[in-house]
Amino acid sequence: MTKEEFLNEIEQVIQSRPEWSRRGQAVFNHIDQKYGVARIAQFSHGKDCYYEDKYIKDFVECCWQLLNENK
């Protein structure tokens, strides 16, 4: 998967999230469930967008880096 494909996937998650879900919450949950690196980004790297949508970009970038480290 390229970074562009990853970012497009995350954008799709944001666009298709339920009305009751915040953008950051949807992104965090998706990455946690599909890739399993959300909590590493949250606890080991201090990147968390679950409660603050303004941190989505930093969180997604950190997750992308973590996914590429595991290759």
Side-chain angles (χ1 to χ4, degrees):
M1 170 181 287
T2 66
K3 186 174 184 180
E4 183 177 342
E5 291 170 330
F6 181 69
L7 294 175
N8 287 338
E9 177 182 329
I10 299 305
E11 184 59 36
Q12 188 65 20
V13 166
I14 291 170
Q15 297 303 319
S16 64
R17 75 188 190 285
E19 288 183 30
W20 52 264
S21 177
R22 289 180 313 284
R23 292 182 343 217
Q25 182 181 8
V27 170
F28 185 96
N29 287 339
H30 176 77
I31 291 176
D32 188 40
Q33 292 170 1
K34 184 168 182 178
Y35 299 105
V37 297
R39 300 204 186 269
I40 298 169
Q42 179 185 36
F43 295 120
S44 297
H45 298 276
K47 307 295 182 188
D48 187 3
C49 66
Y50 189 89
Y51 294 107
E52 293 286 338
D53 290 348
K54 65 184 177 181
Y55 299 123
I56 292 173
K57 184 177 179 180
D58 290 341
F59 174 78
V60 169
E61 182 64 32
C62 182
C63 290
W64 173 252
Q65 291 174 3
L66 289 167
L67 289 170
N68 283 301
E69 286 176 6
N70 293 331
K71 289 184 177 181

